[in-house]
Amino acid sequence: MNRFDDISVDISVVLGKSEMPVHQLLRMGRGAVIELDTHETDDVTILANSTPVAEGQVTVVGDKVGIVITKVLQRAVDMRPVNMEDRI
């Protein structure tokens, strides 16, 4: 068994942001549109376990929606994982 087989990573994509009062959100029905602070050509942010790791562009091929990664974000040295073998 590979030691990486049991690692799970939640991937999410932030298309944009919007602020509104909770009461307005609760009144929205099915099919409501929430206006975001971005344009269709703006890069989206790709998160791994809620941490930004890359940026990309939304792409549509047939009936599939995907993300083309355009930039991998560098993490600060103090945010990088520690190699446990180096600590021993």
Side-chain angles (χ1 to χ4, degrees), residues 19-31:
E19 289 188 24
M20 68 177 58
V22 173
H23 68 86
Q24 184 179 350
L25 179 64
L26 294 174
R27 282 188 283 164
M28 292 184 143
R30 184 180 191 132

Side-chain angles (χ1 to χ4, degrees), residues 7-8 17 20 27 33 35 44 55 57 62 64 75:
I7 298 173
S8 59
K17 296 179 183 177
M20 68 177 58
R27 282 188 283 164
V33 176
E35 189 172 328
V44 295
E55 292 178 354
Q57 288 282 319
K64 303 285 185 189
R75 291 172 48 183

Side-chain angles (χ1 to χ4, degrees), residues 4-76:
F4 297 109
D5 287 343
D6 292 330
I7 298 173
S8 59
V9 178
D10 290 323
I11 301 294
S12 54
V13 178
V14 179
L15 299 173
K17 296 179 183 177
S18 182
E19 289 188 24
M20 68 177 58
V22 173
H23 68 86
Q24 184 179 350
L25 179 64
L26 294 174
R27 282 188 283 164
M28 292 184 143
R30 184 180 191 132
V33 176
I34 299 174
E35 189 172 328
L36 302 175
D37 63 351
T38 57
H39 297 93
E40 61 186 52
T41 58
D42 291 346
D43 279 351
V44 295
T45 302
I46 303 163
L47 308 174
N49 292 339
S50 301
T51 301
V53 294
E55 292 178 354
Q57 288 282 319
V58 176
T59 183
V60 179
V61 178
D63 61 347
K64 303 285 185 189
V65 176
I67 304 296
V68 175
I69 296 174
T70 58
K71 179 180 178 185
V72 175
L73 302 178
Q74 299 296 318
R75 291 172 48 183

